[in-house]
Amino acid sequence: LFDRESCTYTYLLADANTKDAVLIDPVIELAERDAHLVSDLGLNLKYVMNTHVHADHITGTGLLKKLVPGCQSLIAKVSGAIADVHVEHGETVSFGDHEIEVRNTPGHTNGCVTYVSHDKKFAFTGDALLIRGCGRTDFQEGSSDTLYESVHSQILSLPDDYLLYPAHDYKGQTVTTVAEEKEFNPRLTKPKEEFIEIMNKLGLPYPKKIDVSLPANKVCGLYNLPDDLAAKLQDE
């Protein structure tokens, strides 16, 4: 699922037999879309999960908890954000007969995690690793050194054929592989010192939604919302 404004991917995973499901990285403006899809497919949404505390959009977690009663919010404990379930490195998230391993991948933020399905051979990398890129490291606890170590030790160490799904893409790409990124990623194929120099010179603009997104995302996207989004919560 895609949000055109922030170029965010939201992922819905479900067990075909039990109908238990999880939703990764929802966007508040599109929470109703996601809730309708869950309903249409007859799914039991167990968890609404975030890969980290986002700066470029407000999470749909809080609104989805109202739209789909019974689902729980989930995020890494180290993020410091409020959630029903806090996970730590090495733990697993289960839905039906499926399991997702939690791997801490800090560097973009301290609380970034990658969710890995070894059974299905794919991983959801959040902002740590993007297709032919990576998350920025110049704000919100960012560290180029830490990000480099995280990606190489926790993501690019996976088998070459694992599919990698990022939280964002700005060029219309949807999926990559460990092998592709190990060969073609223009930043992370460099030695660490060169990678750090590249990241220090990016000169990216300040995220336009960061001032409203960060405080809201610390509390499931429910703090000091813009009037139109607050009204949605009131309606529900």
Side-chain angles (χ1 to χ4, degrees):
L1 303 163
F2 191 63
D3 170 43
R4 292 180 181 88
E5 183 177 356
S6 63
C7 295
T8 298
Y9 284 116
T10 298
Y11 299 99
L12 178 63
L13 311 179
D15 184 300
N17 296 317
T18 67
K19 300 296 185 181
D20 286 346
V22 298
L23 191 72
I24 301 174
D25 287 338
V27 177
I28 192 170
E29 288 87 353
L30 296 169
E32 289 159 309
R33 172 203 65 185
D34 301 342
H36 287 151
L37 180 57
V38 167
S39 176
D40 287 345
L41 297 176
L43 302 178
N44 168 37
L45 187 60
K46 287 188 66 178
Y47 300 117
V48 182
M49 309 161 56
N50 282 285
T51 53
H52 63 293
V53 176
H54 298 272
D56 58 352
H57 69 269
I58 298 174
T59 180
T61 302
L63 181 52
L64 279 159
K65 287 182 62 178
K66 294 178 179 294
L67 295 170
V68 187
C71 70
Q72 294 184 297
S73 56
L74 182 151
I75 200 168
K77 182 177 181 180
V78 70
S79 71
I82 292 172
D84 298 314
V85 178
H86 288 110
V87 291
E88 298 188 67
H89 180 77
E91 293 184 348
T92 57
V93 179
S94 300
F95 58 103
D97 293 329
H98 298 281
E99 284 189 343
I100 295 175
E101 179 194 3
V102 179
R103 293 190 171 197
N104 286 352
T105 47
H108 174 63
T109 74
N110 285 344
C112 285
V113 294
T114 291
Y115 296 119
V116 183
S117 169
H118 294 287
D119 179 46
K120 296 299 181 182
K121 295 187 176 182
F122 55 59
F124 301 91
T125 57
D127 284 18
L129 179 66
L130 305 177
I131 299 173
R132 309 296 192 267
C134 62
R136 60 194 294 180
T137 58
D138 58 334
F139 70 96
Q140 197 188 357
E141 313 154 345
S143 166
S144 300
D145 188 311
T146 300
L147 181 62
Y148 189 91
E149 292 296 334
S150 293
V151 171
H152 280 275
S153 66
Q154 301 300 324
I155 300 175
L156 297 183
S157 60
L158 292 167
D160 282 353
D161 61 343
Y162 271 43
L163 299 174
L164 303 178
Y165 294 94
H168 303 282
D169 189 82
Y170 306 97
K171 298 179 180 179
Q173 298 168 292
T174 58
V175 61
T176 185
T177 66
V178 171
E180 283 183 58
E181 295 308 312
K182 284 165 64 174
E183 184 172 356
F184 300 120
N185 192 295
R187 299 176 186 175
L188 288 155
T189 51
K190 302 291 194 293
K192 185 199 289 188
E193 293 73 19
E194 189 174 344
F195 171 78
I196 292 171
E197 185 177 355
I198 290 170
M199 298 303 290
N200 287 342
K201 293 181 178 179
L202 289 180
L204 298 171
Y206 190 68
K208 62 182 180 180
K209 285 193 172 184
I210 187 172
D211 293 322
V212 67
S213 296
L214 287 186
N217 290 340
K218 287 284 189 178
V219 289
C220 292
L222 296 177
Y223 172 77
N224 199 25
L225 296 177
D227 291 344
D228 58 333
L229 297 179
K232 283 190 176 186
L233 287 166
Q234 293 295 329
D235 291 342
E236 299 303 327

